[in-house]
Amino acid sequence: MQPFTAAQLLDVWETGRGRTPLACGVLLLTLAFPEIEAASLPFGRFNARLLRLHEQLFGAALESTVSCPQCAEQIEFTVNVADLGIHDDAALPAVIHLEDDALTLRLPTVGDVLAAGGDADQLFGRIVTAGSATHASPAVQTIAADQLQALDPLISIVFRISCPACGHEWETPLDVAAFVGREVDHWAQRLLHTVHRLASAYGWSERDILAMSAWRRAYYLELVDA
Ligand SMILES: [Zn+2]
């Protein structure tokens, strides 16, 4: 991962405002891993890199709150990045063959998911490299999804939640790009607030305040509050 400054991350956050979480994720990975073309990453590998970036910036704990669909209880849960089993160094196959080779698919990239805009049929059509997507039955599409998930396990991350209030159990997905995007958003808002307070107290420029270490900014902020 390429080292980057608070000012650079803040620029990426600003550029991403108004874009979808996935598009923001591509911007973030382009900053952190300039040697790769983020939109071409297989989707699970994209999630893996975003999780590594989260670990680097905010720590390994992913803290989230869900509402119980049965009784509306707010449940806080924490998942550790290490528990998600990120193995993103093994080579992935270029294609997989289904239906006795009548259908050949490749792994979906972030670019595919972005272009399909949430339309599963369109996404499936994009990843079929040989054979006909339109003739693939729903059963074949399910088999394809299972095989792709087995190859690139972070394509879809799902947690089993049990409500402590009513006992209801259900599965909830983790949208990695949306999650990391929210964390970056909170970080940026806290940082801008700090810049505002230090600039007001000392008359320093935004550039000078952003160039300081986070530790030094926090120390000056304590002195302003003292
Ligand atoms: Zn409940």
Side-chain angles (χ1 to χ4, degrees):
M1 195 179 302
Q2 184 84 3
F4 52 85
T5 63
Q8 286 173 310
L9 184 56
L10 199 59
D11 283 344
V12 166
W13 168 77
E14 189 176 8
T15 306
R17 288 180 69 78
R19 299 195 194 186
T20 63
L22 265 191
C24 292
V26 171
L27 290 176
L28 283 171
L29 290 193
T30 304
L31 173 69
F33 303 94
E35 72 282 8
I36 55 160
E37 199 195 326
S40 303
L41 283 172
F43 196 67
R45 296 289 165 96
F46 167 78
N47 281 338
R49 297 239 184 190
L50 275 180
L51 289 167
R52 286 190 191 284
L53 180 63
H54 184 284
E55 198 170 12
Q56 189 88 1
L57 290 173
F58 310 119
L62 310 175
E63 290 165 5
S64 196
T65 305
V66 286
S67 179
C68 173
Q70 199 91 303
C71 74
E73 172 86 359
Q74 293 294 303
I75 303 157
E76 288 176 9
F77 71 102
T78 301
V79 181
N80 200 292
V81 169
D83 296 335
L84 295 174
I86 299 179
H87 303 291
D88 56 355
D89 34 17
L92 290 169
V95 289
I96 61 167
H97 302 278
L98 290 176
E99 297 279 276
D100 295 329
D101 287 350
L103 202 59
T104 305
L105 310 172
R106 59 176 175 77
L107 283 158
T109 65
V110 192
D112 292 320
V113 178
L114 271 170
D119 184 326
D121 287 336
Q122 208 186 324
L123 181 60
F124 191 70
R126 289 182 65 87
I127 63 172
V128 171
T129 57
S132 171
T134 46
H135 292 116
S137 66
V140 170
Q141 291 203 27
T142 303
I143 291 167
D146 289 348
Q147 289 210 14
L148 295 172
Q149 177 74 24
L151 284 170
D152 195 15
L154 296 183
I155 286 180
S156 167
I157 303 169
V158 174
F159 300 116
R160 188 141 192 89
I161 309 270
S162 177
C163 175
C166 74
H168 180 61
E169 289 193 3
W170 76 101
E171 288 189 334
T172 188
L174 173 69
D175 183 334
V176 175
F179 185 90
V180 175
R182 273 197 302 276
E183 299 279 295
V184 171
D185 200 39
H186 292 155
W187 168 87
Q189 289 183 33
R190 281 195 306 273
L191 181 59
L192 290 180
H193 188 71
T194 299
V195 169
H196 165 70
R197 298 199 53 212
L198 293 182
S200 302
Y202 296 104
W204 295 330
S205 71
E206 184 198 58
R207 202 175 87 181
D208 289 345
I209 295 167
L210 291 180
M212 291 174 193
S213 65
W215 182 86
R216 200 179 281 203
R217 279 194 296 267
Y219 195 91
Y220 282 124
L221 207 55
E222 267 181 43
L223 292 178
V224 169
D225 288 334

